[in-house]
Amino acid sequence: MFPTSPNTPSMAPGAPAGAGADIIKDGSDRTFMADVIQASSEVPVIVDFWAPWCGPCKQLGPVLEKAVKAAKGAVRLVKIDTDKHPMIAQQLRVQSIPAVYAFFQGRPVDAFQGALPESQVKTFVERLIKLAGPVDPGAVVAEALAQAGEALAAGDTAAAADTYSAILEAEPENAAAYAGMIRCFLAMGETDQAEQMLKSAPAAIAKSAEIAAVKASLEVAEQAKAAGPIPELMEKLAHDKDDHQARFDLAMALFANNRREAAVDELLELVRRDRTWNDDGARKQLVKFFEVFGPTDPLTVQTRRRLSSLLFR
């Protein structure tokens, strides 16, 4: 997997993802069992025991992180500050720092002390990769994308952005990760940054389905800005249920407030009342919504059926 952390999604694609949860993360005595012992059942986990006052630790840390990132998910790194979390270091009888231990299948399999040169650190990581056997990079990326999507859907925008950023660091032309990062900017209200990133999309993915969908999201977000307050629009409709513009604006305002089902319902009602209004405007807007939701989203599938029943009744 790729890292997630409390960083905000202000980073540009390709920027270092920082210390986060899975490839590189900060650990503790309390989380050691989950972060290291349990996680090492999947891939080797390197534990870096360090402290802020330790000069050699500061030299070794970036070298370790570079080697782990280069492994693209084949190994993970957990960094433990021994000043804050001394228990595990004591149990492993760590005498001096930096001290590095590698765990696989729940047990220590290799270790070294001191700030080794980059070449030796690289050899150390490669040895662990061989020990664990081959890793399918495609499966790692797919798992990372799924995790990022779940985080974004749950409102954890920072975690999603950090994961997408890490994927883009390894694969700058990954359309799903690129589109995901744009969605993170949109979720944070950073529309200008989202638009700039969309304009800067690599040529290889600029016409992909993922980028097309996020472009539709931007267009809908811009439309929704001018929709007006929901209470006022609902009051207009209460006085005149055939105020089609008010109903359309209400749908956009609902969408802007993440009330997707309600927004869809208003547009379907508008199609039912007057399909031809504004040059088939309600149906066309629903098609844009489908692009934003994605073709396999349950709401897309359900709404397509409802729309078809209205159009072909």
Side-chain angles (χ1 to χ4, degrees), residues 71 77 128 277 308:
L77 173 64
L128 292 174
W277 175 80
S308 295

Side-chain angles (χ1 to χ4, degrees), residues 41 59 66 70 86 88 98 112 119 145 163 195 197 209 213 219 233 252 266 283 285 290 305 313:
S41 64
Q59 296 175 15
K66 180 181 177 181
I88 299 298
F112 68 83
S119 60
L145 287 170
T163 301
E195 289 177 347
M197 190 171 175
E219 291 173 354
L233 293 168
M252 300 307 297
E266 293 299 339
R283 184 193 64 80
Q285 190 60 55
F290 298 156
R305 286 200 297 262
R313 62 185 177 179

Side-chain angles (χ1 to χ4, degrees), residues 18 31 40 43 67 71 77-78 87 99 116 118 123 125 141 162 164 192 225 229 240 283 304:
T31 64
S40 71
V43 295
L77 173 64
V78 175
M87 186 180 72
L116 297 184
E118 183 172 348
T123 299
V125 171
V141 172
D162 215 19
Y164 286 132
D192 290 343
K225 284 182 181 179
D240 181 5
R283 184 193 64 80
R304 282 190 185 280

Side-chain angles (χ1 to χ4, degrees), residues 36-37 39-46 74-75 101-110 128-133:
V36 179
I37 302 302
S40 71
S41 64
E42 301 174 14
V43 295
V45 178
I46 299 169
V75 296
Y101 282 74
F103 288 77
F104 185 56
Q105 301 298 327
R107 61 186 180 84
V109 293
D110 206 344
L128 292 174
I129 294 172
K130 289 179 181 178
L131 173 69

